[in-house]
Amino acid sequence: MYWLLLDVNNVCWKSWYALRELSHKGKPTGGLYGFLRSLSQLGGRRTLPDGCAFAFDSEEGNLRAKERPGYKARRAKDVPAEEKRAREGVR
């Protein structure tokens, strides 16, 4: 049995930084585009997964963020909106 586990937050951030200029109607879309592109690339594989699971960062935060308030403090504020759209899309 073959399952695909996708870290959506990681894909969104990596894509957002790679495609920072990509936007639609003034809203950044690089992170969401990268996430959807990673899903679409599955269609070209010889062996498709038996299932998919999507991992997201907790909205409540984590231990590292509580112990180090500066953790991820320099991240852009636009990406969480794209992560939210990706989360809504896989439900």
Side-chain angles (χ1 to χ4, degrees), residues 12 32 56 59 79-90:
C12 281
L32 186 59
F56 293 90
E59 292 179 2
V79 178
E82 292 187 65
E83 290 173 3
K84 184 177 178 185
R85 284 186 233 137
R87 184 183 300 255
E88 291 167 358
V90 297

Side-chain angles (χ1 to χ4, degrees), residues 8-54:
V8 178
N9 291 78
N10 178 279
V11 172
C12 281
W13 278 100
K14 188 168 63 169
S15 300
W16 186 85
Y17 277 104
L19 305 167
R20 230 181 270 198
E21 303 300 318
L22 195 59
S23 65
H24 179 69
K25 296 183 181 178
K27 294 183 180 181
T29 56
L32 186 59
Y33 174 78
F35 167 69
L36 294 174
R37 182 156 166 78
S38 66
L39 287 179
S40 71
Q41 290 176 343
L42 289 175
R45 292 185 58 127
R46 274 193 156 162
T47 306
L48 292 176
D50 296 310
C52 295
F54 301 98

Side-chain angles (χ1 to χ4, degrees), residues 56-74:
F56 293 90
D57 288 352
S58 171
E59 292 179 2
E60 300 169 7
N62 58 39
L63 180 62
R64 186 180 299 166
K66 291 174 186 171
E67 290 181 356
R68 294 180 50 210
Y71 179 66
K72 297 184 181 181
R74 297 185 313 165

